[in-house]
């Protein structure tokens, strides 16, 4: 007996076919060059998506703020004018204070500890901390651990007393340097070299790749390998858009993002190590490696900052971050 095809059934089948015929378009905007780890990550995502989901998903990559810039990219995401971004974690402070955990000084021992935290329950939970605002976190992408540079050697916390440091806008970073008896100035990254060169500020905090690319080592005679905080990005999407993607396709996209994240983070760490070596070979800066005792002194000096921000970050999140260190310090 042949199945009976009703008019309603035929219309639904045609509609489903029409929906499948239209590929999902993901506009991926970022503010850096294509030859950076983040820029290469965006291109790898596009390549893998179009290889594995041909005709189903199309990715358009817009580097160097060619679609939206720092100032308006999150607003564009809210309007679904762009579907994927990778802003620095500091950009999300207006949506959630919990991500400030990554700014807390000397909380994590090293990048491996950061990785462990981001992969565990609390770290994964933070990816979803902005869903009420329509932002879904998909992955953490590394830029690198921050190092302290200055016009004098910084071996102990007291060595920073009286200096002025360039910072990004961040309450945590203001408190961090105030705890050391130092002052801060909020200066755009592009203007940091000039501020260091003219003496407007005497120090800064940056990953090795930022220090080298902006030639800060030529005007900072001392760099302490402090690894005291992490400068990361969060890959995000518009929540309504992301969860409207059919489950099977979304699952494949999540698998691709996991692969790309591994490559981005590996490339970022390699770039930082290579730039550290370039700085050492340049001979313009002394690289100071902290002893275990010196590092512990810095950590103890920074505990009041952790306590100050515990109410807005969450005691459970800070505790979870502490437990990922190999030597668990409570």
């Amino acid at each position: 007996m042949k199945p009976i095809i009703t008019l309603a059934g035929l219309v639904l089948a045609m509609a489903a076919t029409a929906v499948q015929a239209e590929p999902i378009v993901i506009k991926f905007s970022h503010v850096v060059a294509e030859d950076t780890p983040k820029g290469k990550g965006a291109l790898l995502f596009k390549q893998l998506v179009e290889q594995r989901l041909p005709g189903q998903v199309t990715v358009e990559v817009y580097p160097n703020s060619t679609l939206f810039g720092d100032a308006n990219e999150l607003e564009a995401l809210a309007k679904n004018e762009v579907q994927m971004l990778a802003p620095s974690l500091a950009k999300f402070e207006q949506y959630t204070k919990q991500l400030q955990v990554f700014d807390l000084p000397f909380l994590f021992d090293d990048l491996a500890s950061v990785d462990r935290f981001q992969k565990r329950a609390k770290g994964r939970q933070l990816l979803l901390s902005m869903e009420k605002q329509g932002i879904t976190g998909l992955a953490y992408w590394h830029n690198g651990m921050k190092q302290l540079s200055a016009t004098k050697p910084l071996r102990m916390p007291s060595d920073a007393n009286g200096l002025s440091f360039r910072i990004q806008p961040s309450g945590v970073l203001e408190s961090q340097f105030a705890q050391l008896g130092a002052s801060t100035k909020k200066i755009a990254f592009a203007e940091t070299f000039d501020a260091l060169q003219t003496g407007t500020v005497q120090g800064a905090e940056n990953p090795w790749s930022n220090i080298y690319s902006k030639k800060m080592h030529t005007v900072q005679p001392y760099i302490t390998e402090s690894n005291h905080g992490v400068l990361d990005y969060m890959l995000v999407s518009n929540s309504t858009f992301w969860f409207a993607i059919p489950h099977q396709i979304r699952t494949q996209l999540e698998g691709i993002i996991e692969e790309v994240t591994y490559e981005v983070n590996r490339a970022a760490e390699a770039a930082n190590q290579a730039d550290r070596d370039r700085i050492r070979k340049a001979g313009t800066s002394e690289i100071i490696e902290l002893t275990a005792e010196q590092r512990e002194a810095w950590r103890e000096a920074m505990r009041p900052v952790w306590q100050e921000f515990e109410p807005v970050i969450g005691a459970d999140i800070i505790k979870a971050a502490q437990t990922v260190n190999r030597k668990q310090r409570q």
Side-chain angles (χ1 to χ4, degrees):
M1 182 176 177
K2 293 182 178 179
I4 298 172
I5 301 177
T6 64
L7 180 59
L10 183 61
V11 170
L12 286 172
M14 291 173 66
T17 302
V19 169
Q20 291 169 5
E22 281 293 321
I24 298 163
V25 178
I26 298 176
K27 293 181 180 179
F28 191 155
S29 174
H30 62 81
V31 301
V32 299
E34 289 186 328
D35 62 353
T36 60
K38 179 163 71 170
K40 291 176 181 177
L43 293 175
L44 179 59
F45 176 71
K46 172 183 172 66
Q47 176 190 332
L48 294 180
V49 166
E50 294 181 355
Q51 278 178 1
R52 298 178 191 178
L53 295 165
Q56 296 181 78
V57 183
T58 299
V59 179
E60 300 173 2
V61 177
Y62 299 89
N64 283 316
S65 303
T66 51
L67 186 62
F68 297 103
D70 262 345
N72 56 4
E73 61 180 4
L74 285 167
E75 181 183 346
L77 187 78
K79 295 177 180 177
N80 202 35
E81 294 171 349
V82 61
Q83 290 73 46
M84 199 167 281
L85 303 171
S88 67
L89 294 177
K91 299 286 175 55
F92 298 112
E93 189 172 333
Q94 61 180 309
Y95 302 101
T96 177
K97 302 293 186 185
Q98 292 181 321
L99 291 173
Q100 289 180 320
V101 67
F102 295 107
D103 270 343
L104 291 179
F106 291 91
L107 179 63
F108 297 100
D109 276 345
D110 48 30
L111 192 60
S113 300
V114 174
D115 272 329
R116 286 192 291 273
F117 174 73
Q118 290 177 345
K119 290 172 182 175
R120 292 184 185 180
K122 287 296 180 185
R124 302 298 299 175
Q125 177 185 313
L126 292 182
L127 291 173
L128 308 178
S129 61
M130 299 176 286
E131 289 208 322
K132 288 182 180 177
Q133 288 85 13
I135 299 172
T136 293
L138 305 173
Y140 296 103
W141 284 7
H142 293 328
N143 186 359
M145 298 296 283
K146 294 185 292 185
Q147 319 303 335
L148 286 168
S149 65
T151 53
K152 61 179 286 192
L154 304 178
R155 293 186 173 87
M156 296 296 287
S158 57
D159 294 333
N161 184 56
L163 298 182
S164 180
F165 287 83
R166 175 267 172 182
I167 61 166
Q168 298 183 79
S170 165
V172 173
L173 300 184
E174 286 183 33
S175 180
Q176 164 186 291
F177 286 108
Q179 191 66 28
L180 299 173
S183 62
T184 57
K185 293 185 186 296
K186 300 181 186 71
I187 298 172
F189 180 63
E191 299 167 13
T192 301
F193 175 86
D194 288 341
L196 292 168
Q197 186 179 44
T198 59
T200 302
V201 291
Q202 293 81 53
E205 53 167 23
N206 287 284
W208 293 110
S209 57
N210 284 10
I211 296 171
Y212 185 76
S213 67
K214 293 300 180 182
K215 304 186 187 312
M216 294 180 204
H217 60 292
T218 64
V219 291
Q220 295 277 263
Y222 301 96
I223 303 173
T224 299
E225 191 167 26
S226 52
N227 290 318
H228 63 278
V230 63
L231 196 59
D232 265 5
Y233 308 110
M234 185 186 286
L235 184 67
V236 296
S237 185
N238 175 291
S239 299
T240 302
F241 167 82
W242 186 252
F243 290 108
I245 297 173
H247 178 73
Q248 185 177 1
I249 293 176
R250 193 168 73 247
T251 300
Q252 291 183 73
L253 289 173
E254 288 168 350
I256 291 169
I257 287 169
E258 189 172 341
E259 288 182 48
V260 173
T261 297
Y262 174 81
E263 291 299 328
V264 168
N265 291 348
R266 185 185 60 79
E269 178 61 5
N272 274 293
Q273 289 307 310
D275 286 340
R276 182 192 187 280
D277 287 343
R278 292 185 182 104
I279 291 168
R280 180 181 57 79
K281 289 175 182 175
T284 55
S285 300
E286 179 186 343
I287 296 176
I288 298 167
E289 298 180 10
L290 298 176
T291 66
E293 292 75 19
Q294 288 170 335
R295 184 173 179 82
E296 187 59 28
W298 281 92
R299 190 188 296 265
E300 286 303 313
M302 292 295 102
R303 283 186 188 274
V305 182
W306 307 357
Q307 293 160 3
E308 178 185 349
F309 287 88
E310 184 179 287
V312 293
I313 294 173
D316 57 330
I317 293 171
I318 294 175
K319 183 174 177 59
Q322 286 179 274
T323 59
V324 299
N325 291 320
R326 287 301 185 197
K327 295 178 181 177
Q328 299 177 15
R329 300 178 177 90
Q330 302 301 326

